[in-house]
Amino acid sequence: MDFSVVNWLAVIVAAVLAWLFGAVWYMGLSKPWLKAARLDPATMKRSAVPFIVSFIAELVMALVLTLVVGAITGGEPNPIAGLLFGFVLWLGFIATTLTANHRYQGFGWALTLIDAGHWLGVMLIIGAVIGWFGAPAAPAG
């Protein structure tokens, strides 16, 4: 793996923006999501752990998407490539995994659509940011 294509600032910014998107997404869809996930807010434990875990996951996603886009574009990412590969990776791995898992777990399509929509937004945001920031600056020599 060629980590020289990683723009670390882009990875961090992408993860922060993706995490904030998730906060807005689920705040706006909290009632239908809770119903679809069969959760009762009165009996739920309050914890920061899921928020921390999701941020770490988004950091990993941003890093992996950076490596994929960097490898495929020859180390010169751009917003279109970022969006395209964000969508393709979402479709190939996230949407399919959620769909299969939710069917085995007995959840309805509402949960799948809400969660898949969130992760699509995450991957598109990460891809766009990675592409927009471009390759890391060459070290001063």
Side-chain angles (χ1 to χ4, degrees):
M1 287 210 201
D2 181 9
F3 284 90
S4 70
V5 300
V6 177
N7 184 327
W8 293 102
L9 179 60
V11 168
I12 293 166
V13 169
V16 168
L17 291 176
W19 189 85
L20 290 172
F21 167 76
V24 170
W25 180 266
Y26 284 108
M27 282 185 348
L29 294 170
S30 63
K31 286 182 183 175
W33 181 80
L34 286 167
K35 180 179 177 186
R38 301 181 201 132
L39 295 172
D40 179 3
T43 60
M44 292 173 60
K45 291 182 182 178
R46 307 285 186 231
S47 171
V49 172
F51 300 100
I52 295 166
V53 169
S54 65
F55 181 71
I56 292 168
E58 287 155 350
L59 275 172
V60 171
M61 290 174 154
L63 174 59
V64 170
L65 189 52
T66 299
L67 292 170
V68 169
V69 173
I72 293 175
T73 63
E76 294 296 328
N78 61 71
I80 298 299
L83 287 168
L84 176 65
F85 290 108
F87 175 76
V88 168
L89 292 173
W90 169 82
L91 181 63
F93 297 102
I94 297 172
T96 55
T97 300
L98 280 174
T99 300
N101 284 354
H102 287 171
R103 300 300 68 77
Y104 280 109
Q105 295 163 348
F107 289 109
W109 284 99
L111 183 63
T112 304
L113 292 173
I114 292 169
D115 288 347
H118 161 254
W119 290 113
L120 174 60
V122 164
M123 292 299 285
L124 293 177
I125 288 167
I126 290 172
V129 170
I130 296 304
W132 181 57
F133 271 69

